[in-house]
Amino acid sequence: MMELVRLDKWLWAARFYKTRSIAREMIDGGKVHYNGQRAKPSKIVEVGAMLTLRQGSEQKTIQILAISSQRRTATEAQFLYRETLDSIAKRDKMAEARKLNALTMPHPNRRPDKKERRNLLKFKYDRQKGDNN
């Protein structure tokens, strides 16, 4: 007999989310798509199904290879799915873009002092006031 496992439980067992309740919230929030469509947490997963997961600024497309309802070690959890090559390439491209963006906008070495903060707030307030007129 084939094991029937809910989507939220599988995501938890595959270690995409720390708890089942977080997995459930992500599914309900539309961050998880099952075969290209929004799904409910109670959806029964099948081998070969495609999942699209959004975690922070990253989006992964994975294929389910095995079904498990038990959370095991991270190395064992990796055997439950395979990320598509297209998804890996997109994530690498986005990571490179974020890295380049960080280089063009370096962070200052120190926090602004009181006078600099006042000037920054005044500048922001004047710009907002100018946008509304």
Side-chain angles (χ1 to χ4, degrees):
M1 187 179 127
M2 197 173 117
E3 188 177 13
L4 299 177
V5 179
R6 296 165 46 109
L7 179 58
D8 60 343
K9 193 167 191 175
W10 187 87
L11 288 168
W12 168 76
R15 293 183 163 264
F16 285 105
Y17 300 107
K18 202 169 190 174
T19 64
R20 276 185 66 187
S21 61
I22 294 172
R24 179 183 204 94
E25 287 174 22
M26 294 297 125
I27 296 166
D28 286 336
K31 306 278 192 250
V32 178
H33 287 78
Y34 185 86
N35 286 334
Q37 297 180 344
R38 283 184 72 161
K40 293 182 178 180
S42 60
K43 173 78 176 156
I44 303 298
V45 294
E46 300 167 344
V47 173
M50 299 299 285
L51 288 177
T52 306
L53 306 163
R54 188 157 196 79
Q55 294 180 310
S57 62
E58 291 188 345
Q59 185 168 335
K60 295 179 184 175
T61 305
I62 61 164
Q63 181 180 19
I64 297 174
L65 300 178
I67 295 175
S68 174
S69 63
Q70 293 182 327
R71 188 174 170 101
R72 304 210 180 229
T73 64
T75 51
E76 288 180 51
Q78 289 177 337
F79 294 116
L80 299 177
Y81 63 92
R82 175 180 50 229
E83 188 172 1
T84 63
L85 295 175
D86 186 40
S87 173
I88 294 169
K90 279 184 185 176
R91 282 194 314 115
D92 289 344
K93 188 176 175 184
M94 289 297 290
E96 188 66 31
R98 279 195 306 275
K99 207 178 283 183
L100 290 172
N101 192 27
L103 292 174
T104 59
M105 290 187 238
H107 292 286
N109 294 333
R110 62 177 180 79
R111 293 176 59 188
D113 61 22
K114 191 171 185 176
K115 185 176 180 184
E116 290 169 338
R117 274 198 309 274
R118 272 197 217 117
N119 289 337
L120 283 169
L121 288 171
K122 184 174 185 264
F123 176 73
K124 282 173 86 175
Y125 175 73
D126 289 344
R127 284 200 47 196
Q128 289 174 352
K129 194 173 164 184
D131 291 343
N132 293 336
N133 291 335

